[in-house]
């Protein structure tokens, strides 16, 4: 029987900062999980500064060594929106992809260079466009109507705005489509056509031929985003090849030579829970970079298009394994053939995980019993009112109440997608770096999550109870934790 440490070693990847200290306790960048939880509470998100840096450096190197023009790695903030993560990205020279006003402000709160930032979004408000114009970032436009909207707003300010057109990309190879994430029976290209983002080739040609109507817009290139659809290298390459072919056809019709292309995010990682597999990904980011860059370069050379700058918007690749969720065991129950380990975290704070519903496979380790042999299986579940399972049939050593469990790959789409189902306040996040620990997001409290609640006038009779509740119950809940 392997120990939890042996199990962990099997699936460790280069940028993980995990070690095991005596007497068999997991440490993240040298910080013991029990120290972290006793200081900051449980559950607790822990982000590794070093992992973030190593990931962004690796993806940049992978693409820079394959692309013969400048590369801009733009961190997709939606994946993990903490200002501290953005600050690390800024120190590393990364640009950014922002969706909406909140992400735009958060990007600049964490540090950003306007020449490396793009605003995305299918329907952008005047407010966010005005802010983007004032900041001077690029805008990836989603429709003809949006071009008219930006022109009107930029005209009022007498500003020049750099824009890219988001293209729909429909590879012929996607007629039938199945991947680790999607098994689709119809023509998958129709699904892509139906997606709300971007414009098709004909619309893009019309817009470019009519560009004289947008004197305040400077067209710099194109954007597209496939998302994390497939781990298969050939699927990614077909998509990128088709993107280059669309750009080449538009070039031959309009003569427009892009100075940059933004190929979006969705890059699968070495340990890739979305694949549902317990095995590491057989493709590395270097493989994806080589496949993508060669497909794009070949098509551009054929069309006699000068290689534009290459922009990418990775989210999960950078933040995925940088985050770990620590959660304490509250109770254990066994009945018949079943066993449940009840922890204090649930899928409200990691909505994308759950082996049963989502098909993902996030590794879970018994962080305070790393040297004990795995001889048990249990469903790891949380306190929610829904039957969400964090990990079904999780291999574990004999754990007890109070032990800490670590869920790997919790850095992506956990905090940003989390909710307060059952009025559960969301936990804190800390960042660790070489034995240092810093709080980057305070835990919510009942008081902070109830503070937005109001009672309408016609429920006035209950006001007395409310004020009693606010004055007494909340105060005492704060005192007693
Ligand atoms: C436009 C755009 N860019 C980048 C990303 C980041 O994708 P990922 O985290 O899969 O790399 C997303 C995710 O939804 C997106 O919508």
């Amino acid at each position: 029987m392997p120990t939890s440490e042996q199990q962990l070693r099997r699936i460790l990847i280069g940028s993980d900062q995990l070690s095991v200290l005596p007497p068999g306790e997991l440490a993240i960048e040298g910080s013991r999980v029990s120290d972290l939880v006793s200081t900051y509470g449980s559950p607790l998100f822990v982000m590794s500064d070093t992992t973030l840096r190593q990931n962004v450096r690796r993806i940049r190197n992978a693409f820079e060594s394959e692309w013969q023009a400048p590369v801009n790695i733009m961190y997709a903030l939606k994946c993990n929106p903490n200002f501290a993560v953005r600050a690390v990205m800024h120190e590393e020279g990364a640009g950014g992809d922002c969706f909406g006003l909140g992400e735009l402000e958060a990007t600049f709160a964490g540090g950003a260079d306007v020449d490396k930032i793009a605003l995305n979004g299918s329907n952008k408000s005047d407010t966010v466009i005005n802010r983007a114009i004032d900041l001077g970032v690029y805008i990836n436009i989603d429709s003809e109507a949006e071009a008219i909207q930006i022109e009107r707003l930029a005209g009022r300010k007498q500003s020049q705005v750099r824009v890219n057109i988001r293209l729909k990309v429909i590879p012929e190879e996607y007629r039938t489509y199945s991947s680790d994430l999607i098994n689709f029976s119809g023509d998958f290209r129709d699904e892509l056509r139906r997606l709300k983002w971007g414009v098709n080739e004909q619309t893009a040609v019309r817009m470019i031929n009519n560009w004289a109507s947008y004197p305040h817009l400077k067209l710099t290139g194109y954007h597209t985003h496939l998302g994390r659809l497939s781990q298969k290298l050939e699927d990614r390459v077909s998509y990128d090849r088709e993107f280059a072919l669309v750009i080449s056809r538009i070039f031959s019709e309009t003569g427009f030579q892009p100075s940059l292309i933004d190929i979006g995010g969705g890059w699968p990682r070495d340990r890739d829970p979305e694949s549902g597999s317990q095995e590491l990904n057989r493709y590395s980011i270097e493989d994806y970079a080589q496949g993508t860059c060669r497909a794009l370069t070949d098509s551009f050379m054929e069309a006699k298009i000068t290689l534009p700058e290459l922009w990418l918007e990775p989210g999960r690749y950078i933040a995925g394994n940088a985050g770990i969720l620590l959660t304490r065991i509250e109770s254990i129950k066994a009945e018949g053939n079943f066993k449940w380990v009840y922890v204090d975290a649930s899928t409200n704070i990691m909505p994308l995980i759950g082996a049963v519903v989502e098909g993902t496979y996030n590794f879970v380790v018994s962080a305070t019993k790393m040297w004990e042999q795995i001889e048990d299986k249990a469903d790891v579940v949380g306190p929610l009112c829904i039957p969400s399972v964090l990990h079904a049939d999780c291999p574990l050593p004999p754990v007890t109440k109070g032990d800490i469990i670590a869920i790997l790959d919790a850095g992506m789409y956990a905090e940003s997608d989390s909710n307060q189902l059952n009025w559960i306040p969301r936990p804190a996040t800390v960042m660790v770096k070489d034995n240092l620990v810093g709080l980057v997001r305070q835990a919510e409290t009942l008081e902070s999550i109830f503070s937005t609640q109001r009672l309408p006038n016609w429920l006035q009779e209950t006001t007395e109870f409310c004020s009693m509740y606010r004055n007494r119950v909340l105060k005492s809940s704060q005192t007693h934790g």
Side-chain angles (χ1 to χ4, degrees):
M1 293 283 186
T3 62
S4 286
E5 182 179 13
Q6 287 163 337
Q7 178 209 29
L8 177 69
R9 296 221 172 280
R10 194 179 66 77
I11 46 100
L12 272 187
I13 58 174
S15 63
D16 287 331
Q17 300 298 316
L18 304 173
S19 56
V20 179
L21 302 177
E25 178 172 348
L26 187 71
I28 310 166
E29 288 221 31
S31 292
R32 285 176 180 274
V33 293
S34 60
D35 290 344
L36 292 171
V37 162
S38 60
T39 311
Y40 297 97
S42 177
L44 180 69
F45 283 107
V46 184
M47 294 300 297
S48 159
D49 176 296
T50 304
T51 302
L52 287 168
R53 289 178 199 273
Q54 291 190 358
N55 287 345
V56 70
R57 286 177 199 174
R58 181 166 165 205
I59 192 168
R60 178 185 291 127
N61 289 340
F63 280 88
E64 278 181 349
S65 28
E66 294 291 337
W67 192 252
Q68 305 307 314
V71 171
N72 175 19
I73 300 295
M74 309 154 81
Y75 172 60
L77 191 83
K78 67 203 75 176
C79 171
N80 188 306
N82 287 306
F83 291 4
V85 174
R86 180 61 227 167
V88 172
M89 289 301 120
H90 185 50
E91 279 193 9
E92 289 294 320
D97 143 49
C98 322
F99 238 85
L101 189 60
E103 286 194 6
L104 194 55
E105 298 296 353
T107 295
F108 281 88
D113 169 355
V114 291
D115 292 332
K116 294 179 175 176
I117 305 293
L119 173 71
N120 279 311
S122 56
N123 39 317
K124 304 182 185 77
S125 65
D126 283 2
T127 311
V128 71
I129 290 175
N130 274 324
R131 184 74 176 124
I133 296 172
D134 291 344
L135 286 165
V137 300
Y138 288 75
I139 303 181
N140 289 340
I141 50 181
D142 222 79
S143 64
E144 243 171 326
E146 190 185 321
I148 296 168
Q149 182 189 11
I150 304 173
E151 172 56 36
R152 174 172 52 82
L153 298 171
R156 276 194 209 147
K157 293 173 184 284
Q158 289 302 308
S159 297
Q160 195 73 19
V161 187
R162 296 171 292 184
V163 301
N164 305 307
I165 298 175
R166 179 164 179 163
L167 288 175
K168 281 186 191 288
V169 175
I170 320 287
E172 179 60 30
E173 295 88 334
Y174 281 26
R175 180 187 295 270
T176 54
Y177 195 86
S178 75
S179 77
D180 46 317
L181 277 192
I182 294 176
N183 209 341
F184 196 75
S185 54
D187 186 338
F188 190 60
R189 296 170 308 164
D190 288 337
E191 291 302 296
L192 294 183
R193 289 188 188 103
R194 191 174 184 167
L195 287 178
K196 66 175 182 170
W197 297 282
V199 298
N200 64 24
E201 198 174 316
Q202 292 71 28
T203 306
V205 168
R206 193 171 59 236
M207 287 171 76
I208 294 171
N209 282 334
N210 192 25
W211 207 259
S213 349
Y214 310 120
H216 295 92
L217 305 196
K218 179 171 170 34
L219 182 61
T220 45
Y222 299 102
H223 173 237
T224 193
H225 168 71
L226 169 65
R228 168 64 181 86
L229 275 192
S230 169
Q231 207 183 59
K232 280 187 250 158
L233 180 60
E234 59 270 31
D235 287 346
R236 180 77 224 188
V237 171
S238 318
Y239 187 85
D240 294 320
R241 186 183 300 110
E242 182 59 23
F243 183 43
L245 290 175
V246 176
I247 293 171
S248 305
R249 288 196 295 266
I250 300 177
F251 173 67
S252 71
E253 281 200 53
T254 65
F256 172 64
Q257 153 80 55
S259 58
L260 70 89
I261 54 164
D262 176 351
I263 56 175
W267 304 93
R269 292 163 292 151
D270 292 347
R271 189 177 53 246
D272 186 30
E274 301 88 294
S275 67
S277 167
Q278 299 181 36
E279 302 304 320
L280 297 183
N281 187 350
R282 56 191 278 240
Y283 301 111
S284 65
I285 195 66
E286 289 75 18
D287 295 329
Y288 293 115
Q290 189 183 75
T292 289
C293 292
R294 292 198 178 166
L296 291 169
T297 305
D298 289 351
S299 310
F300 287 149
M301 279 175 67
E302 171 109 23
K304 303 209 167 14
I305 292 180
T306 312
L307 272 200
E309 286 186 23
L310 183 64
W311 290 24
L312 290 91
E313 303 172 345
R316 69 190 65 219
Y317 184 84
I318 293 174
N321 72 318
I324 290 183
L325 178 63
L326 302 179
T327 175
R328 228 186 238 295
I329 297 178
E330 295 190 306
S331 63
I332 295 170
K333 182 165 80 183
E335 214 169 58
N337 293 329
F338 302 109
K339 185 165 182 178
W340 300 269
V341 168
Y342 296 86
V343 294
D344 58 11
S346 199
T347 50
N348 61 314
I349 54 170
M350 272 195 79
L352 288 190
I353 95 157
V356 172
V357 181
E358 303 290 348
T360 59
Y361 193 96
N362 278 69
F363 283 93
V364 168
V365 291
S366 60
T368 39
K369 293 212 166 121
M370 296 299 291
W371 286 350
E372 296 196 21
Q373 287 190 337
I374 294 172
E375 51 190 44
D376 214 357
K377 275 195 174 169
D379 286 357
V380 178
V381 292
L384 288 188
C385 65
I386 53 172
S388 54
V389 178
L390 289 164
H391 196 302
D393 289 328
C394 183
L396 289 168
V399 283
T400 50
K401 179 176 155 79
D403 285 348
I404 299 169
I405 296 275
I407 302 177
L408 306 194
D409 301 295
M412 46 157 270
Y413 303 106
E415 291 180 73
S416 48
D417 290 21
S418 64
N419 60 65
Q420 297 140 330
L421 181 59
N422 298 143
W423 275 130
I424 299 178
R426 288 172 290 198
T429 304
V430 293
M431 188 173 275
V432 289
K433 181 183 176 62
D434 300 336
N435 295 309
L436 297 174
V437 188
L439 183 66
V440 301
R441 182 181 178 176
Q442 235 176 327
E444 292 174 345
T445 60
L446 282 187
E447 181 149 55
S448 70
I449 64 175
F450 286 177
S451 66
T452 52
Q453 295 294 305
R454 301 287 182 274
L455 286 175
N457 290 344
W458 64 91
L459 296 174
Q460 288 296 315
E461 315 86 272
T462 50
T463 319
E464 206 177 309
F465 169 74
C466 283
S467 64
M468 181 275 285
Y469 181 80
R470 290 192 67 76
N471 293 338
R472 301 233 309 270
V473 182
L474 283 177
K475 282 216 169 75
S476 82
S477 85
Q478 273 191 323
T479 321
H480 302 301

